[in-house]
Amino acid sequence: LLHHCRDLSGIGGVERPDGTIAWPPEYVEVMEVLGYAEAQASAIEVRLPDNQILPVVALPMLALLKVLAWADRHLREPRKDAADLFAILRNYLDTGQDERLYSEAAHLLDDPAFDYRVAGAWLTGYDARVLIERHSHRSEHIVDRLTSVLVRESDIDGPLSLVSEASGIDAEYARRLLAAFLAGFSGKKMP
């Protein structure tokens, strides 16, 4: 679907104002595509052999899409989106972002409870917000939607459904990763 996002008007002109598409012929099956056009607009170009260029979704946008996809389908397809999300959050600094920790997010190093992976989750959220604001005409809607999911799912007294799907990670650590992602996305220092 990302390949068909020609501009910010939606997925090939079929995206509805609420950020969904409905599949023909009955238009009963609905899929949330909120953020897809923005992910396409902020895609990174990767050069393949024979000089072919392929647009690839930037990791912060992929994390954002995974949260939204999880919220839309976790009851039907548990763990799928959560595994991808937590892989991004835990490894973001290792994708060439580690120097930015010192230049753009040095305040995180001052935290007595500093954790490299949690700092990466914060930077992922920060970068996702920058990309949304740069590439979206509906950033408020996307910000509200993502924030509502992350606030609920990172609250220690909340349902923690997303955290419970983070296989192979301690639940409290997974919650801290989500809270850091939310803090970065919200422009806060740390949760």
Side-chain angles (χ1 to χ4, degrees):
L1 283 175
L2 285 176
H3 177 70
H4 298 289
C5 299
R6 302 277 183 238
D7 56 37
L8 292 181
S9 63
I11 310 293
V14 297
E15 183 178 348
R16 302 183 306 189
D18 66 351
T20 62
I21 59 173
W23 296 100
E26 294 86 21
Y27 300 95
V28 174
E29 187 176 337
V30 176
M31 179 176 142
E32 183 167 348
V33 293
L34 187 64
Y36 277 44
E38 292 79 8
Q40 190 277 334
S42 63
I44 298 167
E45 290 186 347
V46 175
R47 187 174 303 278
L48 300 175
D50 296 328
N51 287 324
Q52 293 178 325
I53 296 177
L54 178 68
V56 176
V57 177
L59 287 175
M61 290 301 294
L62 185 56
L64 179 144
L65 291 174
K66 286 298 179 175
V67 170
L68 297 177
W70 176 87
D72 184 45
R73 65 183 179 193
H74 73 278
L75 295 176
R76 293 186 315 272
E77 299 178 54
R79 292 182 181 65
K80 178 180 180 175
D81 299 303
D84 295 339
L85 171 65
F86 286 106
I88 294 167
L89 297 181
R90 287 188 320 204
N91 297 295
Y92 187 59
L93 287 179
D94 295 332
T95 66
Q97 305 300 324
D98 54 332
E99 288 298 317
R100 293 181 57 221
L101 180 59
Y102 304 99
S103 62
E104 296 175 44
H107 66 278
L108 299 174
L109 298 168
D110 296 332
D111 185 342
F114 173 79
D115 180 283
Y116 183 80
R117 305 270 177 228
V118 173
W122 184 93
L123 195 58
T124 308
Y126 175 83
D127 289 349
R129 180 64 174 261
V130 168
L131 291 172
I132 283 296
E133 289 181 352
R134 185 179 301 151
H135 297 284
S136 182
H137 66 279
R138 59 184 175 179
S139 60
E140 267 187 51
H141 182 58
I142 295 170
V143 167
D144 289 348
R145 178 79 170 107
L146 185 78
T147 301
S148 71
V149 173
L150 290 175
V151 164
R152 183 179 64 249
E153 292 299 325
S154 66
D155 182 348
I156 199 161
D157 295 320
L160 301 174
S161 300
L162 179 52
V163 165
S164 72
E165 292 185 25
S167 56
I169 306 173
D170 174 73
E172 175 54 21
Y173 194 70
R175 191 196 66 74
R176 284 183 57 211
L177 289 168
L178 279 184
F181 181 59
L182 173 60
F185 190 75
S186 302
K188 297 178 182 168
K189 296 288 185 188
M190 259 313 215

